[in-house]
Each structure stands twice: as C-alpha cells, then as structure tokens.
Amino acid sequence: MGSMSLWHWVVVLVIVLLVFGTKKLTSGAKDLGSAVKEFKKGMRDEDKPTAHLSDESRPQDPTTTSQNEHDRDRR
C-alpha cells in the first residue's frame, strides 16, 4: 500500500507531461545536461593547475642536476 507500483509512475508521468508539455521538459533536460557538463569541465579545469607545477615551484633534488645546469657547466 505504501510503495508505488509501475502504474502509479505511469500516471504521474502522464500528468507531468500534460501539465508541463514535452517542449518544456526537453528544454529543461537539455539545460540540466549542459549544467552537468559545465560542472564536470569546471572540476577538471580546477585540478589542472595543481597537477602541472612549473619547474620553479617544484622542489629540487640536490643529488640530481637538471639539463640546464648540465649544459651550463659544459660551457
């Protein structure tokens, strides 16, 4: 009695289609999809600066020399 069967959901879907119309529902779904895409893109873009550190900001290991230091010593 408390759970909704398949027929209840069909009736609810038909009522929603009659109230809002298919045009508003499809445009709403497109807007929701584009919002999710923008959110995912923003999350990926936010991670990029921390993942790719420049050479100056990385801590240098004193036991290894970089290619620039090696070339500078050769001159």
Side-chain angles (χ1 to χ4, degrees):
M1 187 84 180
S3 67
M4 300 205 36
S5 69
L6 177 65
W7 290 110
H8 289 109
W9 289 112
V10 170
V11 170
V12 168
L13 180 64
V14 168
I15 291 172
V16 167
L17 283 173
L18 289 174
V19 170
F20 292 109
T22 57
K23 200 173 232 182
K24 283 188 180 181
L25 288 177
T26 55
S27 68
K30 286 179 185 178
D31 291 341
L32 181 64
S34 65
V36 169
K37 280 184 183 178
E38 288 295 321
F39 178 75
K40 287 182 179 180
K41 182 181 175 186
M43 294 301 290
R44 275 183 286 172
D45 290 344
E46 186 177 295
D47 291 341
K48 282 184 181 178
T50 59
H52 303 314
L53 297 173
S54 65
D55 288 336
E56 292 102 22
S57 62
R58 287 190 202 149
Q60 294 292 324
D61 185 8
T63 60
T64 61
T65 59
S66 68
Q67 185 66 33
N68 289 339
E69 291 173 357
H70 189 296
D71 292 341
R72 198 175 33 208
D73 291 341
R74 287 184 140 184
R75 292 183 199 167

